[in-house]
Amino acid sequence: MSEENYPIIHYTGINQKVPYDDPDSTILECSISHQIPHLHECGGNGRCSTCRIRVIQGSKNISPPTMKEQEMARIRRWDQSVRLACQCYVKGDIAIQRLVWTSAEINILQLETVPEGMAEERAIAILFCDIRNFTKMAFENSTFDMAHILNRFYTTIGDPILFNNGVIYQYIGDEIIGLFGVAGGTREKNCRDAARAALGMNYAIEHLNQMELVDFDLNIKTGIGINFGKAFIGHLGHPKHKQLAVVGDPINTASRIQSYNKDVGTRILISQSVLRSVPEGTFELGKEFATTFAGHEHESTLYELKGFKELDVQLELQSSMDFLFTNKDEFAEKFYERVFTKAPEARELFKKNMRDQGRLLTHMLGSIVYSLSRPENLKSGLEFLGRSHSRYGVTKEYYPVVLSSMMETIEEQLGENSTPQLLMAWEKALTYVTGEMMKYSG
Ligand code: HEM
Ligand code: FES
């Protein structure tokens, strides 16, 4: 068949048209083969919904929804124009839009699983973070670009929530509230995720203070409180403007725990219910406090959270993402230079545009870091990646070459931010990633 006879897929967001040149490939596979970044966390298994697209034109030219798609659309209340790219085959021209762009957006998808009305009680970890006087300081300071700095600031404190499987419930003035476990998950995982988010926020704020706010004489201080318990959760409000609503004593208590930081001069406090959710010795703790909150008859014990006792790979990786991929093209260029020096014959395996390939690689690495908090998706995602690498002609011997080249590039790019702990975390994660992919190589 000549190129003109293939159906055309028009990606409207980037205004790119590509031929659908393999009738056995899904829309997702077509994106990948044309080097169009398209998130697919579960590796095309119809589970994660990150490959979702909106069909703008030509819906009749797409195969009917599979059972997996029908089930997903029912639970998430999608209209008919939303489809899973990993489940769709194409018969004629179509125009589509990819709906999930960044790894951070993935967690917003969890909100689709929250029922209409105040229907369900769910066990969640709740994180309150208060930023002492930041907006006041910012508004008083007329010398800098407020909009820019406020946006940077909200991203800095919001990202650690999203990257750890949480959802942002609300920003109220100087306060941000994160919820962990809205779509399920074990008690231990939800509390660990919340603790990691709190530590990640502190880390990110320190970084912001040192790198961006120092010239403005601003120094943000935070207080974070984490609690775990059952709360009623739902979507409430006007039919045209429904909002996530969470109600219950554990929420109020989390807010009070957060405030208590001010009384005792700590940065992160967790409740006993959080501490009991994880095996003994998980957290590195500081001081312990006993207090009775207003409206409670019992005394509560609070613990100062200082860190994880053992290396937490995800926390390390997340805190390095900002400076590691500041210049993604440079990262990829240096990485491939190393691979081709060590294994010159690997060069022939790469048939397409190397700059785009580099972008796909760093996009994938970022998405892998954040999907470490969704291991069930990550495993099948790596199976998919491993199988496609086998088709690209990649054999087992190449994996150690790629692993060592990547570690050397990471160390170089981290520069003075490099620590033995950080390198150990990257090595652990990449050994896992290549090990999983390698299982499927020929
Ligand atoms: C950490 C492990 C690796 C990651 C995260 C990774 C990531 C990627 C990604 C995202 C793509 C774009 C296409 C796709 O998504 O299927 C790709 C393509 C490719 N990768 Fe990898 N890769 C890894 C290991 C390797 C190894 C060990 C080799 C061996 C030399 C290799 C060679 C290739 C080749 C030949 C292509 C296709 C390029 C083309 O068609 O021009 N990759 N890789
Ligand atoms: S649902 Fe399509 S990739 Fe996960």
Side-chain angles (χ1 to χ4, degrees):
M1 209 189 265
S2 74
E3 179 129 331
E4 302 86 80
N5 293 330
Y6 292 128
I8 296 294
I9 302 186
H10 181 190
Y11 293 78
T12 58
I14 45 173
N15 197 16
Q16 192 173 337
K17 292 183 179 175
V18 304
Y20 179 73
D21 44 15
D22 174 2
D24 294 328
S25 74
T26 60
I27 294 179
L28 173 69
E29 286 163 334
C30 183
S31 304
I32 294 171
S33 85
H34 289 92
Q35 299 188 297
I36 294 174
H38 199 144
L39 280 172
H40 51 287
E41 193 171 87
C42 74
N45 272 289
R47 265 201 331 258
C48 69
S49 94
T50 60
C51 67
R52 61 176 69 183
I53 49 168
R54 185 176 302 286
V55 183
I56 313 285
Q57 258 173 22
S59 54
K60 289 199 178 73
N61 292 331
I62 298 182
S63 55
T66 60
M67 296 286 276
K68 280 183 182 168
E69 272 191 287
Q70 288 175 35
E71 183 58 8
M72 179 89 70
R74 188 186 61 77
I75 294 170
R76 293 176 180 263
R77 303 183 290 275
W78 286 347
D79 66 59
Q80 286 177 352
S81 67
V82 181
R83 302 289 307 266
L84 290 179
C86 70
Q87 306 290 306
C88 295
Y89 296 86
V90 174
K91 294 173 278 193
D93 295 355
I94 55 169
I96 59 167
Q97 212 181 4
R98 290 158 300 160
L99 291 178
V100 188
W101 285 91
T102 67
S103 310
E105 281 172 345
I106 293 177
N107 285 350
I108 299 164
L109 313 184
Q110 291 188 29
L111 295 179
E112 290 175 336
T113 68
V114 173
E116 293 287 324
M118 196 53 84
E120 269 182 42
E121 201 183 35
R122 293 191 186 175
I124 51 176
I126 307 122
L127 177 156
F128 271 70
C129 173
D130 181 54
I131 299 92
R132 314 275 187 249
N133 283 334
F134 175 67
T135 25
K136 187 166 160 277
M137 280 192 293
F139 278 98
E140 278 168 2
N141 196 326
S142 56
T143 56
F144 61 89
D145 180 353
M146 276 279 300
H148 165 75
I149 206 79
L150 281 174
N151 274 334
R152 275 290 295 125
F153 161 73
Y154 282 121
T155 313
T156 302
I157 56 166
D159 274 355
I161 295 178
L162 299 177
F163 293 154
N164 288 292
N165 229 16
V167 295
I168 296 172
Y169 172 40
Q170 270 176 357
Y171 287 108
I172 324 170
D174 288 350
E175 196 165 71
I176 181 168
I177 308 167
L179 307 175
F180 300 81
V182 161
T186 65
R187 177 174 175 164
E188 179 183 344
K189 182 175 182 318
N190 297 337
C191 288
R192 256 180 200 272
D193 283 344
R196 191 181 310 104
L199 295 163
M201 276 173 163
N202 272 355
Y203 186 86
I205 291 218
E206 280 313 314
H207 194 240
L208 191 72
N209 279 335
Q210 283 163 21
M211 306 304 288
E212 293 181 48
L213 299 184
V214 71
D215 294 340
F216 304 112
D217 207 20
L218 286 181
N219 194 337
I220 303 177
K221 293 265 176 287
T222 49
I224 301 175
I226 310 176
N227 191 22
F228 174 84
K230 286 186 177 162
F232 283 96
I233 188 159
H235 276 112
L236 290 185
H238 187 278
K240 297 251 183 253
H241 186 76
K242 293 237 162 119
Q243 272 187 335
L244 178 67
V246 187
V247 180
D249 183 64
I251 309 279
N252 307 333
T253 305
S255 168
R256 292 184 183 131
I257 295 172
Q258 179 283 111
S259 292
Y260 200 72
N261 281 294
K262 273 184 260 178
D263 300 344
V264 292
T266 46
R267 295 192 70 179
I268 309 176
L269 286 171
I270 60 172
S271 66
Q272 201 158 38
S273 59
V274 172
L275 188 63
R276 282 201 188 127
S277 306
V278 298
E280 222 182 305
T282 300
F283 295 141
E284 198 186 313
L285 300 173
K287 292 183 197 143
E288 199 175 307
F289 306 95
T291 183
T292 306
F293 290 125
H296 283 185
E297 283 173 6
H298 61 277
E299 198 176 63
S300 300
T301 312
L302 305 179
Y303 305 86
E304 183 184 12
L305 176 68
K306 298 219 142 178
F308 286 100
K309 276 222 167 112
E310 286 183 9
L311 176 81
D312 187 87
V313 172
Q314 286 159 264
L315 182 61
E316 294 292 329
L317 300 194
Q318 289 171 13
S319 57
S320 72
M321 291 304 278
D322 252 4
F323 27 88
L324 192 54
F325 293 134
T326 335
N327 188 338
K328 292 183 175 158
D329 288 348
E330 183 186 295
F331 180 93
E333 218 172 277
K334 295 209 160 147
F335 161 72
Y336 285 118
E337 221 175 82
R338 286 196 165 92
V339 173
F340 299 148
T341 308
K342 291 181 198 208
E345 68 286 5
R347 184 73 195 80
E348 285 167 29
L349 300 174
F350 292 82
K351 314 274 188 242
K352 298 182 194 137
N353 180 307
M354 278 315 282
R355 200 193 53 154
D356 290 344
Q357 168 61 28
R359 290 183 180 171
L360 290 179
L361 176 86
T362 50
H363 183 256
M364 177 59 80
L365 284 175
S367 128
I368 288 174
V369 168
Y370 300 126
S371 55
L372 284 167
S373 61
R374 290 174 291 278
E376 66 292 355
N377 285 351
L378 180 59
K379 212 170 161 50
S380 55
L382 292 175
E383 174 177 346
F384 182 80
L385 195 62
R387 287 191 194 282
S388 46
H389 275 67
S390 172
R391 285 195 299 277
Y392 304 144
V394 175
T395 47
K396 280 195 169 64
E397 303 76 72
Y398 285 115
Y399 281 96
V401 174
V402 157
L403 179 59
S404 64
S405 305
M406 211 169 267
M407 283 308 300
E408 285 158 22
T409 316
I410 287 172
E411 188 166 2
E412 182 188 47
Q413 296 288 306
L414 286 175
E416 58 184 26
N417 294 305
S418 167
T419 63
Q421 249 187 319
L422 197 45
L423 292 178
M424 205 191 301
W426 270 104
E427 177 126 35
K428 254 185 145 171
L430 289 173
T431 305
Y432 170 73
V433 167
T434 47
E436 284 299 308
M437 286 174 70
M438 219 189 302
K439 287 184 191 165
Y440 306 96
S441 67

